[in-house]
Amino acid sequence: NFVSTNVATSDVFAGKTFVITGTLPTMSRDEAAKFIESNGGKVASSVSKKTTYLVEGEAAGSKAVKARQLGITIINEDGLKALAQGEA
């Protein structure tokens, strides 16, 4: 089955905004962004009050600090995958 990258595979992330920071273990940030978008979510480049989740990898910097200050939920790559499967 051919699936276009523009077609959402699910809408589990609908209405949620994600920011990706640091180096993820098995996905590039680009792949993580495509994964989020394919599940109906939005990817932003900077943390704000509108951010739902920060996906944090190794060597995360100021975005992680800001997310903690704003009380944003911080997840890792495994957490992102679990969230997509409705397990989080």
Side-chain angles (χ1 to χ4, degrees), residues 15-87:
K16 294 178 173 55
T17 302
F18 294 78
V19 174
I20 304 162
T21 188
T23 305
L24 302 178
T26 68
M27 295 177 164
S28 70
R29 284 163 66 162
D30 201 38
E31 288 168 335
K34 286 181 177 143
F35 177 76
I36 290 164
E37 289 165 353
S38 72
N39 284 287
K42 282 192 219 161
V43 178
S45 58
S46 62
V47 174
S48 74
K49 286 187 233 171
K50 295 180 182 177
T51 305
T52 314
Y53 294 103
L54 178 78
V55 182
E56 184 178 43
E58 291 291 316
S62 60
K63 290 178 187 174
V65 173
K66 186 168 183 185
R68 284 180 175 85
Q69 288 170 341
L70 293 173
I72 290 163
T73 303
I74 298 174
I75 58 175
N76 60 15
E77 182 183 313
D78 290 340
L80 178 66
K81 292 174 182 173
L83 203 62
Q85 294 167 354
E87 294 170 9

